[in-house]
Amino acid sequence: MAYLDHAAATPLRPVAREAWLAAVELVGNPSSLHSEGRAARRVVEENRERFGASLQVPPSAIVFTSGGTESDNIGVLGTFRARRRDDAGRRVVVASAVEHKAVAEAVDALIAEGAEAATLGVAADGVVDPAAVKALLAARAEEVALVAVMGANNEVGAVQPVAELAGICADFGVPLHVDAVQCVGAVPVDLEHATTTAISGHKVGGPAGVGALVVRPGALVTPLVYGGGHEGGLRAGTLNAPGIAGMAAAVERAVAEQDAHAQRLAALRDELVAGIVASVPDVTVNSRPSGHPGIANITFAGCEGDSLMLLLDAAGVSVSTGSACTVGIPQPSHVLTAMGASRRAARGALRFSFGWTSSPQDVADCLAVLPDVVGRARRAGLLERGES
Ligand code: PLP
């Protein structure tokens, strides 16, 4: 058995479980003023400090949310709406072509509200060119409400030059939203300079259903959810105190171990990629050694990624595809097509991702079954197309 889908969700870390359990029996609502409420509030605020200290951001900059998707939505929709309310001429939202759907579909929602989207293309390595951002802002900064570029891509691991982009955006007075969901504990991310940064609990070994948006002081952001004025008025709703405690513990551990962890993951990733290239013909490696240390992405010519993923699952290996089915029809990954892959090739890609519980045994288990599985998938593909 090999679990190679840590970029989708990584197991709960023992420290996170302990912190979550210690808070889960609390009865108080953190907004109540009686002693039970104050006890719950204490858990939230102590963990806000802990989370902030781990990521080197002031506790007051942290808005707790239900996860990465909500954080991205507040960062993109909330920033756009606040800026446009201030200046109706700011109707352009700039986002990279490889954003997660949590950002990409928020941009689509803004288009329906009358926004104009400007998409930043990427090179074959999945990375945005800062010069393109600079040229776009030089021409249109007055119209741009925000720029959104992710820290590390969830499908191919491409790491974006966030610090440089933040500098360019700051020079033009344009806010930058960074989706750092795949970064924490794996890829250094410049939280200080982005205007808003999205983080998710279950990608770092915390519980699912909790996340955070780090909002730089002075940033203009409107809430998406109203009622109660929680989190500085930016995100109403009773706080998930145990989830926050679990996430803060996980983030603290992940950040403390980041360097050693990244080295260990990169070694596993490189071993897997080398093993696949050596044992399976006709593959294209879409990820780069310079990318996220725990993410490998490979196209298997002549295969459907979804079939391959299901065959691997039956063989005890869990991976994922970048593609998504729309009304039952497999769609190619928008990330791979943005990087220049053909639609056909993009449908034959798999993501293998490592995390804190990964071991060399996972690599060995995957390599033990993959050549046979790919061979079967290719033969099935040929049969379906009537080529055999
Ligand atoms: N952004 C990226 C880059 C992701 O990989 C994910 C999840 O896969 C999300 C956002 C959404 O995070 P969550 O699952 O916490 O809603």
Side-chain angles (χ1 to χ4, degrees):
M1 299 292 280
Y3 181 74
L4 293 173
D5 204 13
H6 290 258
T10 200
L12 195 63
R13 290 174 184 266
V15 283
R17 182 174 181 275
E18 224 171 90
W20 183 84
L21 279 174
V24 81
E25 299 283 3
L26 287 172
V27 288
N29 182 322
S31 298
S32 301
L33 297 179
H34 46 59
S35 44
E36 290 90 345
R38 291 201 307 276
R41 169 60 64 183
R42 204 172 311 119
V43 168
V44 168
E45 296 313 325
E46 282 173 7
N47 282 290
R48 196 189 300 279
E49 302 250 342
R50 188 179 192 184
F51 187 88
S54 307
L55 295 172
Q56 299 183 325
V57 292
S60 58
I62 299 159
V63 174
F64 289 123
T65 67
S66 64
T69 301
E70 186 187 357
S71 300
D72 277 330
N73 272 256
I74 303 174
V76 173
L77 299 172
T79 303
F80 180 89
R81 290 174 185 158
R83 297 259 293 163
R84 197 171 184 198
R85 195 179 51 195
D86 248 30
D87 175 354
R90 289 198 187 278
R91 52 177 290 277
V92 177
V93 50
V94 181
S96 88
V98 294
E99 294 300 300
H100 186 271
K101 287 209 155 78
V103 166
E105 291 192 6
V107 170
D108 290 345
L110 288 174
I111 295 171
E113 285 177 24
E116 180 193 338
T119 304
L120 297 168
V122 294
D125 59 0
V127 178
V128 163
D129 178 5
V133 180
K134 197 169 181 175
L136 179 65
L137 293 184
R140 307 191 67 184
E142 296 305 309
E143 298 165 76
V144 174
L146 81 146
V147 174
V149 178
M150 69 203 315
N153 183 266
N154 48 299
E155 287 185 34
V156 298
V159 172
Q160 304 295 344
V162 167
E164 192 178 351
L165 295 174
I168 294 168
C169 289
D171 287 346
F172 287 97
V174 170
L176 174 69
H177 173 73
V178 176
D179 175 339
V181 164
Q182 295 292 346
C183 296
V184 178
V187 173
V189 61
D190 188 353
L191 286 163
E192 209 186 316
H193 296 109
T195 315
T196 49
T197 308
I199 292 167
S200 167
H202 69 126
K203 310 289 186 186
V204 267
V210 64
L213 183 70
V214 179
V215 181
R216 207 172 58 211
L220 277 184
V221 187
T222 56
L224 307 186
V225 177
Y226 296 89
H230 312 73
E231 297 298 272
L234 258 184
R235 199 272 182 176
T238 300
L239 287 163
N240 172 2
I244 289 166
M247 175 171 68
V251 166
E252 184 182 77
R253 180 58 59 91
V255 170
E257 294 177 352
Q258 178 162 315
D259 292 347
H261 177 69
Q263 271 185 30
R264 204 174 67 77
L265 293 197
L268 293 172
R269 176 200 62 186
D270 296 347
E271 193 188 329
L272 178 72
V273 170
I276 293 174
V277 169
S279 61
V280 184
D282 285 335
V283 297
T284 307
V285 183
N286 304 310
S287 45
R288 299 282 192 274
S290 56
H292 186 297
I295 295 182
N297 186 299
I298 297 188
T299 297
F300 298 87
C303 292
E304 282 296 345
D306 289 334
S307 319
L308 212 45
M309 185 263 286
L310 292 172
L311 286 169
L312 277 174
D313 181 42
V317 177
S318 305
V319 300
S320 78
T321 62
S323 60
C325 273
T326 303
V327 282
I329 303 161
Q331 297 295 314
S333 149
H334 69 288
V335 174
L336 293 175
T337 50
M339 288 163 60
S342 69
R343 289 173 65 82
R344 181 80 200 88
R347 276 172 41 187
L350 288 183
R351 175 187 72 184
F352 304 81
S353 57
F354 296 92
W356 70 275
T357 56
S358 299
S359 72
Q361 191 61 49
D362 294 323
V363 175
D365 288 349
C366 180
L367 290 176
V369 298
L370 190 66
D372 177 54
V373 163
V374 173
R376 276 162 49 209
R378 282 181 174 154
R379 282 193 297 277
L382 292 178
L383 285 176
E384 263 170 39
R385 292 195 295 273
E387 292 172 25
S388 163

